[in-house]
Amino acid sequence: TPKKTTGKDDKLQAARDAAEYKETLTEAEKQKQRDAIDLEFDTRQAILDARKDSSQKELDQAKLDFDKQKEEIRRGYEDLKDEKIKKAKQLFNANPKNKKKLFNPASVDTSYTKAEIDENNAKNAANEQEYNQKVTDIRNKQNESERASIQSYLKEYGTYEEKKVALTEEAEDKIKKINESGDFTDADKE
């Protein structure tokens, strides 16, 4: 025989069902927003993949990587609050005294601890530092490439004085690279 329920039990079950439905809708909306951001990242990546290699492409790729990492950090930080609510709900439901009560997510303290804030700030700072270093490296590589092109042009087509300066700079560059790498066997070959 089915268990008889009271009107109070029916109301409690209806309230639980409504709360669960609201939670499901909230989660679905959050996932929808995340999917839209991921789609935007995928679109940017596809556009980058279609472009010819260039310094600007490298800079744009570094920016996309930075934005993706920043979003990942933001999501992790946001998910901390959801985890706190989830754990509180599990504890609430496990307590026999709460059998006839309804869990209220608003009652959970979801504020961030100092350690959580510090960790989030450190992750964001590291991401930004990595991005800035990539940009610096790309620009240095670009400048070096332009400088080598100019030297090559001047060696070939410059005046006597320009050729002399270009050859001197090229030799200095080679010496600098050898000194930085510590590989003196390259010097013996040249």
Side-chain angles (χ1 to χ4, degrees), residues 10-74:
D10 290 342
K11 286 182 182 177
L12 180 63
Q13 187 58 45
R16 283 188 176 145
D17 290 346
E20 193 173 315
Y21 178 69
K22 182 180 178 187
E23 189 178 312
T24 303
L25 284 178
T26 303
E27 191 62 37
E29 180 60 31
K30 183 168 108 177
Q31 188 58 47
K32 184 178 167 185
Q33 290 172 352
R34 288 182 175 190
D35 289 346
I37 291 169
D38 290 343
L39 182 61
E40 187 252 336
F41 287 149
D42 290 345
T43 302
R44 286 172 58 190
Q45 185 65 59
I47 291 168
L48 279 171
D49 291 345
R51 288 174 38 193
K52 284 189 344 185
D53 287 342
S54 68
S55 295
Q56 188 58 49
K57 179 180 177 178
E58 288 181 51
L59 289 170
D60 291 345
Q61 183 66 56
K63 177 68 169 134
L64 177 59
D65 293 344
F66 169 76
D67 289 344
K68 284 180 178 179
Q69 183 65 26
K70 187 176 179 180
E71 178 63 16
E72 188 177 312
I73 293 166
R74 187 196 65 75

Short mmCIF file of all heavy atoms in Angstrom, two decimals, residues 10-74:
data_model
loop_
_atom_site.label_atom_id
_atom_site.label_comp_id
_atom_site.label_asym_id
_atom_site.label_seq_id
_atom_site.Cartn_x
_atom_site.Cartn_y
_atom_site.Cartn_z
N ASP A 10 3.29 17.11 1.21
CA ASP A 10 3.15 17.44 -0.21
C ASP A 10 3.69 18.82 -0.51
O ASP A 10 4.36 19.03 -1.52
CB ASP A 10 1.67 17.36 -0.63
CG ASP A 10 1.15 15.92 -0.65
OD1 ASP A 10 1.99 15.00 -0.68
OD2 ASP A 10 -0.08 15.75 -0.63
N LYS A 11 3.43 19.76 0.37
CA LYS A 11 3.92 21.14 0.18
C LYS A 11 5.44 21.17 0.27
O LYS A 11 6.10 21.85 -0.51
CB LYS A 11 3.32 22.08 1.22
CG LYS A 11 1.88 22.40 0.97
CD LYS A 11 1.35 23.37 2.01
CE LYS A 11 -0.13 23.66 1.77
NZ LYS A 11 -0.69 24.52 2.81
N LEU A 12 6.00 20.42 1.22
CA LEU A 12 7.45 20.36 1.37
C LEU A 12 8.08 19.75 0.12
O LEU A 12 9.07 20.27 -0.40
CB LEU A 12 7.84 19.55 2.61
CG LEU A 12 9.33 19.41 2.90
CD1 LEU A 12 9.96 20.78 3.17
CD2 LEU A 12 9.56 18.48 4.08
N GLN A 13 7.48 18.67 -0.39
CA GLN A 13 8.01 18.03 -1.59
C GLN A 13 7.89 18.97 -2.79
O GLN A 13 8.81 19.06 -3.61
CB GLN A 13 7.31 16.70 -1.87
CG GLN A 13 7.93 15.92 -3.00
CD GLN A 13 9.41 15.59 -2.76
OE1 GLN A 13 9.79 15.18 -1.68
NE2 GLN A 13 10.24 15.79 -3.77
N ALA A 14 6.79 19.67 -2.90
CA ALA A 14 6.61 20.62 -3.99
C ALA A 14 7.64 21.75 -3.91
O ALA A 14 8.20 22.17 -4.92
CB ALA A 14 5.19 21.20 -3.98
N ALA A 15 7.92 22.21 -2.69
CA ALA A 15 8.92 23.26 -2.50
C ALA A 15 10.31 22.74 -2.87
O ALA A 15 11.11 23.45 -3.48
CB ALA A 15 8.90 23.76 -1.07
N ARG A 16 10.60 21.49 -2.49
CA ARG A 16 11.90 20.89 -2.84
C ARG A 16 12.04 20.75 -4.36
O ARG A 16 13.09 21.03 -4.93
CB ARG A 16 12.07 19.53 -2.18
CG ARG A 16 12.41 19.61 -0.73
CD ARG A 16 12.75 18.27 -0.15
NE ARG A 16 13.18 18.44 1.23
CZ ARG A 16 12.93 17.59 2.20
NH1 ARG A 16 12.27 16.46 1.95
NH2 ARG A 16 13.36 17.82 3.42
N ASP A 17 10.96 20.30 -4.99
CA ASP A 17 10.97 20.15 -6.45
C ASP A 17 11.18 21.51 -7.13
O ASP A 17 11.94 21.62 -8.10
CB ASP A 17 9.67 19.51 -6.94
CG ASP A 17 9.56 18.04 -6.54
OD1 ASP A 17 10.58 17.45 -6.14
OD2 ASP A 17 8.43 17.51 -6.64
N ALA A 18 10.51 22.55 -6.62
CA ALA A 18 10.65 23.89 -7.19
C ALA A 18 12.07 24.41 -7.00
O ALA A 18 12.65 25.01 -7.92
CB ALA A 18 9.65 24.85 -6.55
N ALA A 19 12.65 24.15 -5.83
CA ALA A 19 14.03 24.59 -5.57
C ALA A 19 15.01 23.86 -6.48
O ALA A 19 15.95 24.46 -7.01
CB ALA A 19 14.38 24.36 -4.10
N GLU A 20 14.78 22.58 -6.66
CA GLU A 20 15.66 21.79 -7.54
C GLU A 20 15.54 22.26 -8.99
O GLU A 20 16.53 22.36 -9.71
CB GLU A 20 15.29 20.31 -7.44
CG GLU A 20 16.31 19.39 -8.05
CD GLU A 20 16.01 17.92 -7.78
OE1 GLU A 20 15.68 17.58 -6.64
OE2 GLU A 20 16.10 17.14 -8.74
N TYR A 21 14.32 22.58 -9.41
CA TYR A 21 14.08 23.09 -10.75
C TYR A 21 14.79 24.43 -10.95
O TYR A 21 15.46 24.65 -11.97
CB TYR A 21 12.57 23.24 -11.00
CG TYR A 21 12.23 23.80 -12.36
CD1 TYR A 21 12.45 23.07 -13.51
CD2 TYR A 21 11.70 25.08 -12.48
CE1 TYR A 21 12.14 23.58 -14.77
CE2 TYR A 21 11.39 25.60 -13.73
CZ TYR A 21 11.61 24.85 -14.86
OH TYR A 21 11.31 25.37 -16.10
N LYS A 22 14.68 25.30 -9.96
CA LYS A 22 15.35 26.61 -10.04
C LYS A 22 16.87 26.43 -10.12
O LYS A 22 17.54 27.09 -10.90
CB LYS A 22 14.98 27.46 -8.82
CG LYS A 22 15.57 28.84 -8.83
CD LYS A 22 15.18 29.64 -7.60
CE LYS A 22 15.84 30.99 -7.64
NZ LYS A 22 15.63 31.73 -6.40
N GLU A 23 17.38 25.50 -9.33
CA GLU A 23 18.82 25.21 -9.34
C GLU A 23 19.26 24.69 -10.72
O GLU A 23 20.30 25.09 -11.24
CB GLU A 23 19.11 24.17 -8.25
CG GLU A 23 20.57 23.91 -7.99
CD GLU A 23 20.74 22.90 -6.86
OE1 GLU A 23 20.10 23.03 -5.80
OE2 GLU A 23 21.55 21.97 -7.07
N THR A 24 18.44 23.83 -11.31
CA THR A 24 18.73 23.28 -12.63
C THR A 24 18.73 24.38 -13.69
O THR A 24 19.61 24.43 -14.56
CB THR A 24 17.72 22.18 -13.00
OG1 THR A 24 17.76 21.16 -11.99
CG2 THR A 24 18.03 21.57 -14.35
N LEU A 25 17.75 25.28 -13.61
CA LEU A 25 17.69 26.40 -14.55
C LEU A 25 18.90 27.32 -14.42
O LEU A 25 19.49 27.75 -15.43
CB LEU A 25 16.41 27.22 -14.33
CG LEU A 25 15.11 26.63 -14.85
CD1 LEU A 25 13.93 27.54 -14.50
CD2 LEU A 25 15.17 26.41 -16.34
N THR A 26 19.28 27.61 -13.18
CA THR A 26 20.45 28.48 -12.93
C THR A 26 21.71 27.84 -13.50
O THR A 26 22.52 28.52 -14.14
CB THR A 26 20.60 28.73 -11.42
OG1 THR A 26 19.40 29.31 -10.92
CG2 THR A 26 21.77 29.65 -11.12
N GLU A 27 21.86 26.54 -13.25
CA GLU A 27 23.03 25.82 -13.76
C GLU A 27 23.04 25.80 -15.29
O GLU A 27 24.08 25.98 -15.92
CB GLU A 27 23.05 24.39 -13.20
CG GLU A 27 24.34 23.65 -13.45
CD GLU A 27 25.56 24.28 -12.81
OE1 GLU A 27 25.46 24.81 -11.70
OE2 GLU A 27 26.63 24.25 -13.45
N ALA A 28 21.88 25.61 -15.88
CA ALA A 28 21.78 25.58 -17.35
C ALA A 28 22.12 26.95 -17.95
O ALA A 28 22.81 27.03 -18.98
CB ALA A 28 20.38 25.15 -17.78
N GLU A 29 21.67 28.01 -17.30
CA GLU A 29 21.97 29.36 -17.78
C GLU A 29 23.47 29.65 -17.68
O GLU A 29 24.07 30.21 -18.59
CB GLU A 29 21.17 30.40 -16.98
CG GLU A 29 21.40 31.83 -17.42
CD GLU A 29 21.05 32.11 -18.88
OE1 GLU A 29 20.12 31.47 -19.42
OE2 GLU A 29 21.71 32.97 -19.49
N LYS A 30 24.06 29.22 -16.58
CA LYS A 30 25.51 29.41 -16.40
C LYS A 30 26.28 28.65 -17.47
O LYS A 30 27.22 29.18 -18.08
CB LYS A 30 25.92 28.95 -15.00
CG LYS A 30 27.38 29.18 -14.68
CD LYS A 30 27.64 28.97 -13.21
CE LYS A 30 28.39 27.72 -12.96
NZ LYS A 30 28.72 27.50 -11.55
N GLN A 31 25.85 27.42 -17.75
CA GLN A 31 26.51 26.61 -18.78
C GLN A 31 26.33 27.22 -20.16
O GLN A 31 27.25 27.21 -20.98
CB GLN A 31 26.00 25.16 -18.75
CG GLN A 31 26.78 24.24 -19.64
CD GLN A 31 28.26 24.20 -19.29
OE1 GLN A 31 28.63 24.06 -18.13
NE2 GLN A 31 29.12 24.32 -20.29
N LYS A 32 25.17 27.78 -20.41
CA LYS A 32 24.89 28.44 -21.69
C LYS A 32 25.84 29.63 -21.89
O LYS A 32 26.38 29.82 -22.98
CB LYS A 32 23.43 28.90 -21.70
CG LYS A 32 22.97 29.51 -22.99
CD LYS A 32 21.48 29.88 -22.87
CE LYS A 32 21.04 30.77 -24.00
NZ LYS A 32 19.66 31.22 -23.83
N GLN A 33 26.05 30.41 -20.84
CA GLN A 33 26.97 31.54 -20.92
C GLN A 33 28.40 31.06 -21.16
O GLN A 33 29.14 31.65 -21.96
CB GLN A 33 26.90 32.38 -19.65
CG GLN A 33 25.61 33.15 -19.50
CD GLN A 33 25.47 33.83 -18.14
OE1 GLN A 33 26.28 33.61 -17.24
NE2 GLN A 33 24.45 34.66 -18.00
N ARG A 34 28.79 30.00 -20.48
CA ARG A 34 30.14 29.46 -20.66
C ARG A 34 30.32 28.92 -22.08
O ARG A 34 31.37 29.10 -22.69
CB ARG A 34 30.43 28.37 -19.63
CG ARG A 34 30.64 28.93 -18.23
CD ARG A 34 30.96 27.87 -17.24
NE ARG A 34 31.27 28.47 -15.94
CZ ARG A 34 31.77 27.81 -14.91
NH1 ARG A 34 32.03 26.52 -15.01
NH2 ARG A 34 32.02 28.43 -13.78
N ASP A 35 29.30 28.25 -22.59
CA ASP A 35 29.36 27.72 -23.95
C ASP A 35 29.50 28.86 -24.97
O ASP A 35 30.24 28.71 -25.96
CB ASP A 35 28.13 26.88 -24.27
CG ASP A 35 28.10 25.55 -23.52
OD1 ASP A 35 29.15 25.14 -22.97
OD2 ASP A 35 27.02 24.92 -23.49
N ALA A 36 28.82 29.97 -24.74
CA ALA A 36 28.92 31.11 -25.65
C ALA A 36 30.35 31.68 -25.64
O ALA A 36 30.90 32.01 -26.70
CB ALA A 36 27.92 32.19 -25.26
N ILE A 37 30.95 31.76 -24.48
CA ILE A 37 32.33 32.26 -24.37
C ILE A 37 33.28 31.28 -25.07
O ILE A 37 34.18 31.70 -25.81
CB ILE A 37 32.71 32.47 -22.89
CG1 ILE A 37 31.92 33.65 -22.32
CG2 ILE A 37 34.21 32.71 -22.74
CD1 ILE A 37 32.02 33.79 -20.80
N ASP A 38 33.07 29.98 -24.85
CA ASP A 38 33.92 28.96 -25.50
C ASP A 38 33.79 29.03 -27.02
O ASP A 38 34.78 28.88 -27.74
CB ASP A 38 33.55 27.56 -25.01
CG ASP A 38 33.95 27.32 -23.56
OD1 ASP A 38 34.78 28.09 -23.03
OD2 ASP A 38 33.43 26.35 -22.96
N LEU A 39 32.58 29.25 -27.50
CA LEU A 39 32.36 29.37 -28.94
C LEU A 39 33.10 30.58 -29.50
O LEU A 39 33.71 30.51 -30.57
CB LEU A 39 30.85 29.47 -29.23
CG LEU A 39 30.48 29.55 -30.71
CD1 LEU A 39 30.94 28.31 -31.46
CD2 LEU A 39 28.96 29.71 -30.85
N GLU A 40 33.07 31.67 -28.76
CA GLU A 40 33.81 32.88 -29.19
C GLU A 40 35.31 32.58 -29.26
O GLU A 40 35.98 32.97 -30.21
CB GLU A 40 33.51 34.03 -28.23
CG GLU A 40 34.07 35.36 -28.67
CD GLU A 40 35.24 35.84 -27.85
OE1 GLU A 40 35.37 35.42 -26.68
OE2 GLU A 40 36.06 36.61 -28.38
N PHE A 41 35.83 31.85 -28.27
CA PHE A 41 37.25 31.47 -28.28
C PHE A 41 37.55 30.57 -29.49
O PHE A 41 38.57 30.74 -30.16
CB PHE A 41 37.65 30.74 -26.99
CG PHE A 41 37.76 31.61 -25.77
CD1 PHE A 41 37.48 31.11 -24.52
CD2 PHE A 41 38.15 32.93 -25.87
CE1 PHE A 41 37.59 31.89 -23.38
CE2 PHE A 41 38.27 33.74 -24.73
CZ PHE A 41 37.98 33.20 -23.49
N ASP A 42 36.67 29.61 -29.75
CA ASP A 42 36.87 28.70 -30.89
C ASP A 42 36.86 29.47 -32.21
O ASP A 42 37.64 29.17 -33.11
CB ASP A 42 35.79 27.62 -30.91
CG ASP A 42 35.93 26.61 -29.77
OD1 ASP A 42 37.00 26.58 -29.14
OD2 ASP A 42 34.96 25.87 -29.52
N THR A 43 35.97 30.45 -32.32
CA THR A 43 35.90 31.27 -33.53
C THR A 43 37.19 32.06 -33.71
O THR A 43 37.75 32.10 -34.82
CB THR A 43 34.69 32.23 -33.46
OG1 THR A 43 33.50 31.44 -33.28
CG2 THR A 43 34.57 33.07 -34.71
N ARG A 44 37.65 32.68 -32.63
CA ARG A 44 38.91 33.44 -32.72
C ARG A 44 40.06 32.52 -33.12
O ARG A 44 40.92 32.90 -33.92
CB ARG A 44 39.21 34.12 -31.37
CG ARG A 44 38.34 35.33 -31.10
CD ARG A 44 38.50 35.90 -29.71
NE ARG A 44 39.86 36.30 -29.38
CZ ARG A 44 40.25 36.65 -28.16
NH1 ARG A 44 39.38 36.65 -27.15
NH2 ARG A 44 41.49 37.00 -27.92
N GLN A 45 40.09 31.29 -32.56
CA GLN A 45 41.16 30.35 -32.89
C GLN A 45 41.10 29.95 -34.35
O GLN A 45 42.13 29.88 -35.03
CB GLN A 45 41.07 29.10 -31.99
CG GLN A 45 42.22 28.14 -32.19
CD GLN A 45 43.54 28.74 -31.78
OE1 GLN A 45 43.72 29.13 -30.64
NE2 GLN A 45 44.49 28.83 -32.70
N ALA A 46 39.91 29.69 -34.86
CA ALA A 46 39.75 29.30 -36.27
C ALA A 46 40.23 30.42 -37.19
O ALA A 46 40.89 30.16 -38.21
CB ALA A 46 38.29 28.96 -36.57
N ILE A 47 39.91 31.65 -36.85
CA ILE A 47 40.36 32.80 -37.65
C ILE A 47 41.88 32.89 -37.63
O ILE A 47 42.52 33.10 -38.67
CB ILE A 47 39.70 34.11 -37.15
CG1 ILE A 47 38.21 34.09 -37.47
CG2 ILE A 47 40.38 35.34 -37.75
CD1 ILE A 47 37.40 35.18 -36.78
N LEU A 48 42.47 32.70 -36.45
CA LEU A 48 43.93 32.74 -36.33
C LEU A 48 44.58 31.61 -37.13
O LEU A 48 45.60 31.83 -37.80
CB LEU A 48 44.35 32.63 -34.87
CG LEU A 48 44.30 33.90 -34.06
CD1 LEU A 48 44.53 33.62 -32.58
CD2 LEU A 48 45.33 34.89 -34.55
N ASP A 49 44.00 30.42 -37.05
CA ASP A 49 44.57 29.28 -37.77
C ASP A 49 44.57 29.49 -39.27
O ASP A 49 45.44 28.96 -39.98
CB ASP A 49 43.80 28.00 -37.42
CG ASP A 49 44.03 27.55 -35.99
OD1 ASP A 49 44.97 28.04 -35.34
OD2 ASP A 49 43.23 26.71 -35.50
N ALA A 50 43.62 30.27 -39.76
CA ALA A 50 43.51 30.51 -41.20
C ALA A 50 44.48 31.58 -41.70
O ALA A 50 44.73 31.68 -42.91
CB ALA A 50 42.08 30.91 -41.56
N ARG A 51 45.02 32.37 -40.78
CA ARG A 51 45.91 33.46 -41.19
C ARG A 51 47.32 32.96 -41.46
O ARG A 51 47.76 31.94 -40.93
CB ARG A 51 45.96 34.53 -40.09
CG ARG A 51 44.67 35.31 -40.03
CD ARG A 51 44.56 36.30 -38.89
NE ARG A 51 45.75 37.02 -38.56
CZ ARG A 51 45.89 37.72 -37.43
NH1 ARG A 51 44.91 37.78 -36.57
NH2 ARG A 51 47.01 38.36 -37.18
N LYS A 52 48.04 33.73 -42.29
CA LYS A 52 49.45 33.43 -42.55
C LYS A 52 50.26 33.73 -41.29
O LYS A 52 49.91 34.60 -40.51
CB LYS A 52 49.99 34.31 -43.69
CG LYS A 52 49.54 33.88 -45.05
CD LYS A 52 50.23 34.61 -46.20
CE LYS A 52 50.94 35.88 -45.84
NZ LYS A 52 51.48 36.63 -46.93
N ASP A 53 51.37 33.03 -41.15
CA ASP A 53 52.24 33.28 -40.02
C ASP A 53 52.81 34.69 -40.10
O ASP A 53 53.26 35.12 -41.16
CB ASP A 53 53.39 32.27 -39.99
CG ASP A 53 52.93 30.89 -39.56
OD1 ASP A 53 51.84 30.80 -38.97
OD2 ASP A 53 53.66 29.91 -39.80
N SER A 54 52.75 35.37 -38.97
CA SER A 54 53.31 36.72 -38.87
C SER A 54 53.45 37.05 -37.40
O SER A 54 52.92 36.37 -36.53
CB SER A 54 52.39 37.74 -39.55
OG SER A 54 51.17 37.87 -38.82
N SER A 55 54.15 38.13 -37.14
CA SER A 55 54.30 38.58 -35.76
C SER A 55 52.94 38.96 -35.18
O SER A 55 52.65 38.68 -34.02
CB SER A 55 55.24 39.78 -35.68
OG SER A 55 56.54 39.40 -36.06
N GLN A 56 52.09 39.57 -36.00
CA GLN A 56 50.76 39.97 -35.51
C GLN A 56 49.94 38.73 -35.17
O GLN A 56 49.22 38.73 -34.18
CB GLN A 56 50.04 40.84 -36.55
CG GLN A 56 48.74 41.44 -36.02
CD GLN A 56 48.94 42.30 -34.78
OE1 GLN A 56 49.79 43.17 -34.74
NE2 GLN A 56 48.16 42.05 -33.76
N LYS A 57 50.07 37.67 -35.95
CA LYS A 57 49.35 36.43 -35.66
C LYS A 57 49.84 35.87 -34.32
O LYS A 57 49.03 35.42 -33.50
CB LYS A 57 49.56 35.41 -36.77
CG LYS A 57 48.85 34.09 -36.51
CD LYS A 57 49.06 33.09 -37.63
CE LYS A 57 48.42 31.76 -37.29
NZ LYS A 57 48.56 30.78 -38.36
N GLU A 58 51.14 35.91 -34.11
CA GLU A 58 51.69 35.42 -32.84
C GLU A 58 51.18 36.25 -31.67
O GLU A 58 50.85 35.71 -30.62
CB GLU A 58 53.22 35.45 -32.87
CG GLU A 58 53.84 34.40 -33.76
CD GLU A 58 55.35 34.46 -33.73
OE1 GLU A 58 55.93 34.45 -32.62
OE2 GLU A 58 55.97 34.52 -34.81
N LEU A 59 51.12 37.57 -31.85
CA LEU A 59 50.60 38.44 -30.79
C LEU A 59 49.13 38.15 -30.52
O LEU A 59 48.71 38.08 -29.36
CB LEU A 59 50.78 39.92 -31.18
CG LEU A 59 52.21 40.45 -31.17
CD1 LEU A 59 52.27 41.83 -31.80
CD2 LEU A 59 52.75 40.50 -29.74
N ASP A 60 48.36 37.97 -31.58
CA ASP A 60 46.94 37.66 -31.42
C ASP A 60 46.74 36.30 -30.76
O ASP A 60 45.82 36.12 -29.94
CB ASP A 60 46.22 37.71 -32.77
CG ASP A 60 46.12 39.12 -33.33
OD1 ASP A 60 46.35 40.10 -32.57
OD2 ASP A 60 45.83 39.27 -34.53
N GLN A 61 47.60 35.33 -31.09
CA GLN A 61 47.52 34.01 -30.46
C GLN A 61 47.84 34.11 -28.97
O GLN A 61 47.18 33.49 -28.13
CB GLN A 61 48.46 33.02 -31.14
CG GLN A 61 48.39 31.61 -30.59
CD GLN A 61 47.05 30.94 -30.85
OE1 GLN A 61 46.62 30.85 -31.99
NE2 GLN A 61 46.39 30.48 -29.80
N ALA A 62 48.85 34.90 -28.64
CA ALA A 62 49.21 35.10 -27.23
C ALA A 62 48.05 35.74 -26.47
O ALA A 62 47.75 35.35 -25.33
CB ALA A 62 50.47 35.96 -27.11
N LYS A 63 47.38 36.70 -27.09
CA LYS A 63 46.23 37.36 -26.45
C LYS A 63 45.08 36.38 -26.26
O LYS A 63 44.44 36.35 -25.19
CB LYS A 63 45.78 38.56 -27.31
CG LYS A 63 44.55 39.28 -26.78
CD LYS A 63 44.82 39.99 -25.49
CE LYS A 63 43.65 40.91 -25.15
NZ LYS A 63 43.25 40.79 -23.75
N LEU A 64 44.83 35.53 -27.25
CA LEU A 64 43.77 34.53 -27.13
C LEU A 64 44.10 33.54 -26.00
O LEU A 64 43.24 33.22 -25.18
CB LEU A 64 43.58 33.78 -28.45
CG LEU A 64 42.55 32.65 -28.43
CD1 LEU A 64 41.17 33.15 -28.04
CD2 LEU A 64 42.50 31.97 -29.79
N ASP A 65 45.34 33.08 -25.95
CA ASP A 65 45.76 32.16 -24.89
C ASP A 65 45.58 32.81 -23.51
O ASP A 65 45.13 32.18 -22.56
CB ASP A 65 47.21 31.72 -25.08
CG ASP A 65 47.40 30.86 -26.33
OD1 ASP A 65 46.40 30.35 -26.86
OD2 ASP A 65 48.57 30.73 -26.77
N PHE A 66 45.95 34.09 -23.43
CA PHE A 66 45.79 34.85 -22.19
C PHE A 66 44.31 34.92 -21.79
O PHE A 66 43.95 34.67 -20.64
CB PHE A 66 46.36 36.27 -22.37
CG PHE A 66 46.02 37.22 -21.25
CD1 PHE A 66 46.65 37.15 -20.01
CD2 PHE A 66 45.05 38.19 -21.43
CE1 PHE A 66 46.33 38.02 -18.99
CE2 PHE A 66 44.72 39.08 -20.42
CZ PHE A 66 45.36 38.99 -19.19
N ASP A 67 43.45 35.25 -22.76
CA ASP A 67 42.01 35.37 -22.48
C ASP A 67 41.41 34.04 -22.05
O ASP A 67 40.58 33.99 -21.14
CB ASP A 67 41.27 35.91 -23.71
CG ASP A 67 41.58 37.38 -23.98
OD1 ASP A 67 42.11 38.08 -23.08
OD2 ASP A 67 41.29 37.84 -25.11
N LYS A 68 41.84 32.94 -22.69
CA LYS A 68 41.34 31.62 -22.32
C LYS A 68 41.75 31.27 -20.88
O LYS A 68 40.94 30.77 -20.10
CB LYS A 68 41.90 30.55 -23.27
CG LYS A 68 41.24 30.51 -24.62
CD LYS A 68 41.88 29.40 -25.46
CE LYS A 68 41.26 29.26 -26.82
NZ LYS A 68 41.92 28.20 -27.61
N GLN A 69 43.00 31.53 -20.56
CA GLN A 69 43.49 31.23 -19.21
C GLN A 69 42.78 32.09 -18.18
O GLN A 69 42.42 31.62 -17.10
CB GLN A 69 45.02 31.43 -19.15
CG GLN A 69 45.63 31.07 -17.82
CD GLN A 69 45.54 29.60 -17.50
OE1 GLN A 69 45.44 28.76 -18.38
NE2 GLN A 69 45.52 29.27 -16.22
N LYS A 70 42.56 33.35 -18.52
CA LYS A 70 41.86 34.27 -17.61
C LYS A 70 40.44 33.76 -17.34
O LYS A 70 39.97 33.78 -16.20
CB LYS A 70 41.82 35.67 -18.24
CG LYS A 70 41.27 36.74 -17.36
CD LYS A 70 41.37 38.09 -18.07
CE LYS A 70 40.80 39.20 -17.24
NZ LYS A 70 40.90 40.50 -17.92
N GLU A 71 39.77 33.28 -18.38
CA GLU A 71 38.41 32.74 -18.24
C GLU A 71 38.43 31.47 -17.39
O GLU A 71 37.55 31.27 -16.55
CB GLU A 71 37.79 32.48 -19.61
CG GLU A 71 36.41 31.88 -19.58
CD GLU A 71 35.34 32.74 -18.94
OE1 GLU A 71 35.55 33.97 -18.75
OE2 GLU A 71 34.28 32.19 -18.58
N GLU A 72 39.42 30.63 -17.61
CA GLU A 72 39.54 29.41 -16.81
C GLU A 72 39.72 29.74 -15.33
O GLU A 72 39.12 29.10 -14.46
CB GLU A 72 40.72 28.57 -17.32
CG GLU A 72 40.81 27.21 -16.71
CD GLU A 72 41.95 26.38 -17.31
OE1 GLU A 72 42.06 26.34 -18.55
OE2 GLU A 72 42.71 25.80 -16.53
N ILE A 73 40.54 30.73 -15.04
CA ILE A 73 40.76 31.16 -13.65
C ILE A 73 39.45 31.71 -13.07
O ILE A 73 39.08 31.40 -11.94
CB ILE A 73 41.89 32.21 -13.58
CG1 ILE A 73 43.24 31.57 -13.95
CG2 ILE A 73 41.96 32.84 -12.20
CD1 ILE A 73 44.35 32.56 -14.23
N ARG A 74 38.74 32.52 -13.86
CA ARG A 74 37.49 33.12 -13.40
C ARG A 74 36.46 32.03 -13.09
O ARG A 74 35.79 32.06 -12.07
CB ARG A 74 36.92 34.08 -14.45
CG ARG A 74 35.69 34.88 -13.96
CD ARG A 74 34.92 35.52 -15.09
NE ARG A 74 34.30 34.58 -16.00
CZ ARG A 74 33.19 33.86 -15.72
NH1 ARG A 74 32.60 33.98 -14.57
NH2 ARG A 74 32.70 33.03 -16.62
#
